[in-house]
């Protein structure tokens, strides 16, 4: 039998039952699905494979299916891991480099979050009042090794929302921060941070860059006197960061969100 159908162009099936898709930067492989069927008393695996028919419709063939039993189809899991300590933490953004190594950002309230060669070795917030810091972690492509992992933030809540890489695998992170006193806004000399202080409101957006080894290159606030946050980030070939997000810092009674700025490779303007 067969289940599911979706009309897509530029797809083809592999002899192993995988689905191959031609993309701008190469071929994407969707591995054959894992399937099993279950009765009231037992569960047993069944073969499942992708097939692209003459109309370019993608189908999933399950040739030995028993129609009386419940069929479950799952993706193939290459690897999976937990990452955290003994309190609340969450991953909110992820990107992978050309070798398949994933880079993850999010937030953690922990004092025992796993670090490796960190740019910031501990949670800078007041843990007794349960504030969050950003984390950034890089894993090996097979998920077996934590290559670097660091806290990043100040005395109040900080959230890493999105992450991007440049051609050297330097990581660029954006999000929002409530911290002002101890948030590490910095830039390599002779540059100065684009915005060295939090201008108020609940949160300001931030942008920071880590070197390929996970060390801090620059960090800056970006916001006005009301709430602002970064929610997406991209990097061009020159190392300039492009950030989108939201701002409430509008109107004559506020310090406006900065409307003209370039975040260069060194983090200055």
């Amino acid at each position: 039998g067969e289940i599911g159908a979706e009309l897509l162009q530029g797809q083809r099936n592999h002899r192993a039952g995988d689905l191959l898709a031609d993309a701008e930067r190469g071929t994407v492989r969707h591995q054959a699905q894992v399937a099993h069927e279950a009765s009231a008393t037992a569960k047993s695996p069944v073969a499942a494979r992708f097939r692209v028919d003459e109309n370019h419709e993608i189908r999933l063939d399950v040739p030995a299916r028993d129609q009386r039993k419940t069929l479950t189809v799952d993706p193939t899991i290459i690897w999976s891991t937990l990452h955290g300590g003994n309190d609340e933490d969450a991953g909110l953004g992820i990107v992978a480099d050309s070798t398949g190594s994933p880079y993850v950002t999010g937030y953690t309230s922990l004092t025992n979050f796993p670090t490796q060669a960190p740019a910031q070795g501990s949670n800078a917030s007041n843990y007794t009042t349960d504030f969050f810091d950003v984390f950034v972690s890089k894993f090996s492509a097979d998920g077996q090794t934590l290559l670097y992992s660091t806290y990043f933030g100040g005395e109040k809540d900080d959230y890493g929302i999105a992450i991007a890489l440049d051609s050297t695998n330097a990581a660029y992170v954006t999000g929002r921060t409530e911290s002002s006193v101890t948030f590490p806004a910095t830039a390599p000399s002779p540059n100065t941070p684009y915005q060295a202080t939090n201008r108020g409101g609940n949160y300001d957006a931030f942008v920071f860059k880590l070197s390929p080894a996970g060390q801090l290159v620059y960090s800056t606030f970006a916001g006005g006197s009301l709430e602002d946050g970064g929610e997406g980030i991209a990097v061009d070939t020159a190392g300039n960061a492009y950030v989108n997000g939201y701002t409430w810092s509008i109107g004559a009674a506020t310090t406006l969100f900065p409307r003209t700025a370039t975040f260069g490779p060194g983090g200055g303007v």
Side-chain angles (χ1 to χ4, degrees), residues 54-192:
E54 63 276 5
N55 297 317
H56 301 286
E57 291 183 346
I58 299 170
R59 301 186 181 277
L60 185 66
D61 286 347
V62 189
R65 181 184 178 190
D66 185 341
Q67 299 287 342
R68 298 169 299 176
K69 297 180 179 180
T70 300
L71 177 69
T72 301
V73 180
D74 293 317
T76 300
I77 297 176
I78 305 301
W79 60 266
S80 177
T81 185
L82 297 173
H83 185 52
N86 59 5
D87 207 326
E88 182 177 354
D89 36 34
L92 299 177
I94 189 169
V95 67
D97 65 25
S98 59
T99 72
S101 289
Y103 302 66
V104 186
T105 190
Y107 65 86
T108 177
S109 65
L110 308 172
T111 58
N112 66 339
F113 189 85
T115 60
Q116 173 67 32
Q120 179 180 314
S122 61
N123 191 322
S125 64
N126 182 353
Y127 183 71
T128 61
T129 53
D130 207 29
F131 286 118
F132 297 111
D133 261 10
V134 177
F135 76 83
V136 183
S137 301
K138 176 185 178 181
F139 290 86
S140 61
D142 61 6
Q144 298 300 301
T145 306
L146 184 61
L147 299 178
Y148 72 69
S149 184
T150 186
Y151 293 93
F152 190 84
E155 77 281 3
K156 292 188 177 181
D157 278 336
D158 316 291
Y159 299 89
I161 305 295
I163 185 168
L165 303 176
D166 66 17
S167 60
T168 71
N169 292 334
Y172 299 69
V173 180
T174 191
R176 63 181 185 267
T177 177
E178 195 178 12
S179 300
S180 58
V181 177
T182 60
F183 189 88
T186 187
S189 180
N191 296 325
T192 57

